[in-house]
């Protein structure tokens, strides 16, 4: 990739004080001279850095140079090791097409008291450059964390507990984007913060052969991670017989950074054919015919920009022979592609790879056929199954929770969802509660708002009594506006998220779990699905509309979204109006600076019966005219399962 030099005025400002420290992530050393012409610098690679002090003492400027936003997030984990400086520049050389300009949100102390200048500029065709100047030397790590956070919608840059420790060098990939990660040497102790250890659980780099493996901090649990057993040590590439004794569990694989490598940007109708993950010119690459689309490092790491170059492919064929730098790198690459929802086909997965990927992902990889993926709907269903499994097994959040559980480290509970469902139709309460009862993979409570319906009505009473879960019933007078009824119900909710639910629509069993998953990787305050599938009851036809999914948006389906409890309360809930409460809420959230993310719509089917029975008053012809696909009868996606 050609490197665009920084403008002369930026180079002049960097070299003005004489000492420049450069931290690189995913950038070759040879590219720095081209990027920083005439600048004398001392460089360090975050992928080999550890707890040792920075080589440049009191630099006048610090530049953090990353190839992609994904690479920048690894530098954030090393934030404490980056020095203070008057001038801090963050340069990202390329970003995927869906990536917005970084909105740099400095911490109040850093930004308000000491900031004198901040500039955000394009760098080259798809990169970004952020330059800050302070009245006093300030931590470069804080600036890098603010820029990395600005590439996404997450208001907070860290992760949920456990607090992470990284013992040794080259471990930044284990806690990407977390400014709270703390480094120590391989023997400890973990650093203290306010007289308590800064970590609950620490991952330790492989100890050199013959070296002692003591850990000098009984307060912090340590988990050892071995280096990748390269082919040079275990036999020639593809020597499967030699690999029988190689044991690689999923927790041995560096996690996928789900806040950067995720399904965002998925294309429903790709323009290209199948690429191949293979070895070419000494590197692991994805090639389409005779052209290399992306080249991966020996570590097997995949970035958001790599995924961007693969989005137009119908799929990627994975070959296991002569492909990867080692078993861990192989599992890391394939798990990352799966987490991004890249549809994959592969030969039978060898045992060494199957153990590293986990059984769920292995079954999915070998279960798809080229014939199935030729159909756009079947292809997207395969993508959703891959991303669910990969993120749930190999995502950073999942990895640290798994390590903590295996080490006996206490964990906070999973987030809960309060389903708010308001209805005027007692006869639909059994159906609606049945759809909620199908939800799996998430802790659910139900707030049932009865809008002019008595709780003693037989259909309501029996359905509530038969529901296996928590149900709170809220009654409201029939003349109350719909928004008022929703707010009364929502006031009784205790969950981390509030979900709005319709009484007559169909929901797949993973509907809520998919929304919570998408909220985790998107960071949006509100996450919903696209209104794709409609069952037109009057004519017994199912149609599918053509909506873009896995994208930031200004709206989602009104009966199929979750919103964080904190955002809902900050906005004061729904407006007290009789209809269009969802649209009004979306607009208020966006105006307040919040984000809406639209994930796939394959687990939701909206019912359209006779006009007058819905707040959305459109005739059947409206839906037929906008249909991408049309089938006789009730024809949901395969992700709905037979229980729908």
């Amino acid at each position: 990739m050609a490197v665009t030099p920084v403008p002369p005025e930026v180079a002049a400002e960097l070299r003005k004080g004489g000492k420049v420290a450069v931290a690189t992530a995913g950038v070759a050393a040879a590219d720095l001279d081209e990027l920083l012409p005439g600048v004398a610098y001392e460089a360090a690679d975050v992928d080999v850095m550890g707890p040792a002090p920075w080589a440049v003492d009191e630099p006048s400027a610090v530049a953090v140079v990353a190839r992609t936003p994904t690479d920048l997030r690894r530098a954030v984990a090393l934030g404490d090791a980056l020095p203070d400086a008057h001038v801090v520049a963050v340069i990202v050389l390329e970003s995927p097409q869906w990536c917005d300009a970084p909105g740099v949100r400095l911490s109040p102390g850093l930004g308000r008291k000491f900031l004198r200048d901040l500039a955000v500029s394009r760098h080259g065709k798809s990169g970004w450059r952020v330059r800050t100047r302070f009245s006093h030397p300030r931590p470069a790590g804080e600036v890098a964390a603010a820029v990395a956070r600005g590439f996404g919608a997450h208001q907070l840059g860290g992760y949920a507990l456990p607090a992470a420790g990284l013992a040794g060098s080259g471990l930044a990939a284990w806690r990407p984007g977390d400014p709270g990660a703390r480094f120590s040497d391989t023997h400890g102790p973990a650093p203290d913060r306010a007289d308590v250890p800064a970590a609950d659980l620490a991952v330790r780099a492989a100890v050199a052969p013959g070296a002692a493996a003591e850990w000098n901090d009984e307060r912090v649990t340590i988990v050892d991670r071995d280096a990748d057993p390269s082919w040079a040590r275990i036999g020639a590439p593809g020597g499967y017989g030699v690999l029988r004794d190689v044991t690689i569990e999923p927790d041995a694989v560096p996690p996928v950074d789900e806040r950067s490598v995720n399904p965002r940007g998925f294309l429903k109708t790709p323009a290209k054919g199948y690429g191949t993950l293979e070895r070419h010119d000494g590197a692991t690459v994805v090639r389409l015919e005779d052209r290399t689309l992306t080249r991966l490092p020996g570590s097997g790491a995949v970035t958001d920009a790599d995924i961007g170059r693969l989005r137009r492919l119908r799929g990627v064929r994975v070959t296991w022979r002569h492909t990867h730098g080692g078993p861990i790198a192989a599992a890391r690459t394939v798990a990352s592609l799966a987490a991004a929802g890249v549809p994959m086909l592969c030969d039978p997965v060898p045992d060494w790879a199957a153990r590293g990927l986990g059984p769920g992902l292995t079954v999915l990889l070998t279960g798809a056929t080229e014939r199935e993926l030729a159909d756009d709907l079947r292809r997207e269903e395969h993508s959703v199954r891959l991303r669910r499994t990969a993120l749930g097994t190999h995502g950073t959040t999942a990895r640290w929770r798994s390590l903590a559980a295996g080490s006996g480290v206490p964990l906070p509970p999973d987030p809960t969802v309060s389903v708010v469902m308001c209805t005027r139709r007692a006869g639909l309460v059994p159906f609606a509660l049945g759809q909620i009862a199908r939800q799996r993979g998430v802790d659910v409570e139900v707030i049932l708002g009865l809008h002019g319906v008595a709780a003693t009505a037989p259909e309501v009473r029996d359905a509530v009594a038969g529901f296996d879960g928590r149900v709170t019933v809220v009654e409201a007078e029939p003349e109350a506006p719909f928004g008022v009824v929703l707010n009364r119900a929502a006031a009784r909710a205790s969950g981390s998220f509030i979900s709005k639910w319709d009484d007559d629509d169909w929901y797949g069993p993973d509907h809520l779990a998919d929304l919570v998953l998408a909220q985790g990787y998107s960071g949006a305050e509100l996450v919903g699905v696209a209104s794709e599938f409609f069952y037109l009851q009057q004519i017994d036809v199912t149609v599918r509309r053509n909506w873009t999914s896995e994208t930031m948006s200004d709206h989602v389906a009104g009966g199929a979204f979750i919103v964080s409890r904190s955002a809902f309360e900050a906005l004061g809930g729904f407006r007290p109006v009789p209809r269009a409460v969802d649209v009004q809420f979306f607009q208020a959230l966006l105006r307040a600076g919040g984000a809406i993310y639209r994930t796939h719509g394959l687990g939701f089917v909206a019912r359209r019966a006779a006009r007058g029975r819905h707040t959305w008053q459109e005739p059947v012809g409206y839906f037929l005219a906008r249909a991408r696909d049309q089938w006789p009868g009730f024809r949901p996606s395969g992700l709905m399962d037979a229980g729908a």
Side-chain angles (χ1 to χ4, degrees):
M1 182 184 92
V3 175
T4 301
V6 298
E9 64 273 16
V10 175
E13 184 170 28
L14 289 174
R15 62 174 175 259
K16 185 161 49 178
K19 292 182 179 180
V20 181
V22 178
T24 64
V27 177
D31 291 333
L32 285 181
D33 287 339
E34 189 174 349
L35 176 71
L36 304 171
V39 177
Y41 59 83
E42 290 288 339
D45 186 345
V46 301
D47 290 317
V48 297
M49 286 173 62
W54 191 270
V56 181
D57 184 35
E58 297 183 359
S60 61
V62 173
V64 180
V65 183
R67 183 169 74 89
T68 69
T70 305
D71 296 307
L72 176 62
R73 289 175 55 78
R74 293 200 307 281
V76 171
L78 270 294
D80 269 3
L82 302 182
D84 296 0
H86 281 90
V87 175
V88 179
V90 178
I91 303 169
V92 176
L93 301 182
E94 61 171 324
S95 61
Q97 58 268 33
W98 58 83
C99 195
D100 297 324
V104 183
R105 302 185 295 270
L106 298 174
S107 64
L110 187 69
R112 295 174 188 167
K113 289 182 67 175
F114 304 105
L115 183 66
R116 293 296 174 265
D117 188 28
L118 186 152
V120 179
S121 308
R122 270 288 187 190
H123 187 85
K125 289 180 61 177
S126 63
W128 292 96
R129 184 176 64 253
V130 177
R131 181 183 55 79
T132 58
R133 183 170 55 85
F134 300 95
S135 60
H136 296 76
R138 303 309 299 160
E142 289 195 31
V143 178
V147 176
R149 201 165 52 242
F151 276 113
H154 291 88
Q155 297 295 319
L156 301 177
Y159 288 89
L161 298 175
L166 304 171
S169 302
L171 292 171
W174 281 87
R175 196 71 172 189
D178 186 0
R182 290 297 178 264
F183 274 79
S184 69
D185 64 29
T186 54
H187 302 294
D192 278 6
R193 184 188 297 156
D195 296 326
V196 296
D200 303 317
L201 175 68
V203 166
R204 177 163 60 176
V207 178
E214 297 94 352
W215 174 247
N216 301 318
D217 196 336
E218 62 183 13
R219 306 168 302 169
V220 178
T221 303
I222 192 74
V223 177
D224 286 315
R225 299 294 82 177
D226 292 333
D228 202 348
S230 67
W231 304 123
R233 289 172 51 199
I234 59 179
Y240 299 150
V242 183
L243 290 172
R244 279 199 197 106
D245 297 329
V246 175
T247 301
I248 307 166
E249 300 301 327
D251 282 351
V253 181
V256 177
D257 181 2
E258 71 260 32
R259 296 188 181 182
S260 185
V261 178
N262 57 50
R264 191 170 179 187
F266 178 82
L267 295 180
K268 296 173 178 290
T269 307
K272 304 291 183 182
Y274 290 90
T276 304
L277 182 66
E278 61 184 43
R279 198 78 173 170
H280 182 75
D281 286 344
T284 300
V285 301
V286 177
R287 286 174 63 80
L288 177 63
E289 298 171 348
D290 60 349
R291 185 162 62 96
T292 296
L293 300 181
T294 194
R295 179 182 296 263
L296 304 177
S299 66
V302 177
T303 70
D304 49 0
D306 295 324
I307 296 300
R309 286 190 279 271
L310 305 181
R311 282 300 184 208
R312 299 180 70 192
L313 297 179
R314 180 154 292 276
V316 171
R317 293 189 180 90
V318 179
T319 59
W320 297 102
R321 192 176 294 270
H322 302 283
T323 301
H324 309 279
I328 290 178
R332 186 179 183 186
T333 295
V334 174
S336 298
L337 295 178
V342 175
M344 282 183 282
L345 303 166
C346 78
D347 302 328
V349 181
D351 288 344
W352 57 265
R355 287 194 292 268
L357 292 171
L361 203 48
T362 299
V363 169
L364 290 174
L365 286 169
T366 55
T369 66
E370 192 168 321
R371 179 179 178 181
E372 289 174 332
L373 298 195
D375 179 271
D376 288 343
L377 178 55
R378 300 284 91 81
R379 172 182 174 269
E380 187 174 0
E381 290 169 353
H382 179 54
S383 168
V384 172
R385 294 185 178 105
L386 284 174
R387 65 182 77 155
R388 281 176 184 164
T389 305
L391 290 168
T393 304
H394 292 278
T396 303
T397 301
R399 176 72 78 251
W400 280 87
R401 290 186 69 88
S402 176
L403 292 173
S407 304
V409 175
L411 285 168
D414 289 325
T416 55
V417 179
S418 298
V419 175
V420 173
M421 197 272 290
C422 296
T423 183
R424 290 183 179 272
R425 298 175 283 192
L428 282 176
V429 171
F431 170 83
L433 289 182
Q435 293 296 303
I436 300 171
R438 282 166 28 89
Q439 300 304 300
R440 60 194 179 194
V442 65
D443 185 11
V444 176
E445 69 168 357
V446 179
I447 315 297
L448 175 60
L450 299 177
H451 197 178
V453 175
T456 54
E459 306 99 314
V460 176
R461 183 190 62 233
D462 294 346
V464 170
F467 184 78
D468 184 16
R470 294 167 290 165
V471 182
T472 300
V473 177
V474 177
E475 294 182 89
E477 60 277 11
E479 63 272 15
F482 187 38
V484 170
V485 181
L486 284 170
N487 285 336
R488 289 183 190 174
R492 305 289 295 275
S494 63
S496 312
F497 298 99
I498 293 173
S499 169
K500 184 169 175 289
W501 197 276
D502 282 349
D503 59 2
D504 60 346
D505 296 332
W506 290 270
Y507 299 81
D510 299 295
H511 168 72
L512 288 177
D514 281 350
L515 293 182
V516 173
L517 183 69
Q519 196 283 328
Y521 62 72
S522 72
E525 287 81 6
L526 187 149
V527 177
V529 307
S531 298
E532 293 187 42
F533 284 83
F534 288 85
Y535 175 60
L536 308 179
Q537 188 169 310
Q538 289 174 284
I539 59 174
D540 190 26
V541 167
T542 301
V543 298
R544 184 189 184 198
R545 300 172 71 195
N546 190 19
W547 280 110
T548 301
S549 62
E550 302 304 334
T551 182
M552 293 296 178
S553 180
D554 59 1
H555 72 285
V556 292
F561 67 83
I562 62 171
V563 60
S564 71
R565 182 185 180 88
S566 59
F568 183 83
E569 292 176 343
L571 294 174
F574 298 104
R575 287 190 60 202
V577 293
R579 62 183 61 85
V581 292
D582 46 359
V583 174
Q584 295 290 322
F585 187 80
F586 300 158
Q587 292 174 350
L589 178 66
L590 293 172
R591 284 194 296 265
I596 297 174
Y597 187 81
R598 188 164 64 216
T599 187
H600 74 88
L602 304 189
F604 175 68
V605 179
R607 185 199 308 257
R608 284 297 171 267
R611 295 182 69 181
R613 298 185 64 187
H614 301 279
T615 55
W616 188 11
Q617 298 288 317
E618 297 291 353
V620 166
Y622 172 89
F623 298 98
L624 293 175
R626 289 160 176 79
R628 167 183 172 173
D629 299 302
Q630 180 177 320
W631 305 277
F634 181 69
R635 174 79 180 275
S637 153
L639 299 185
M640 292 290 291
D641 287 354

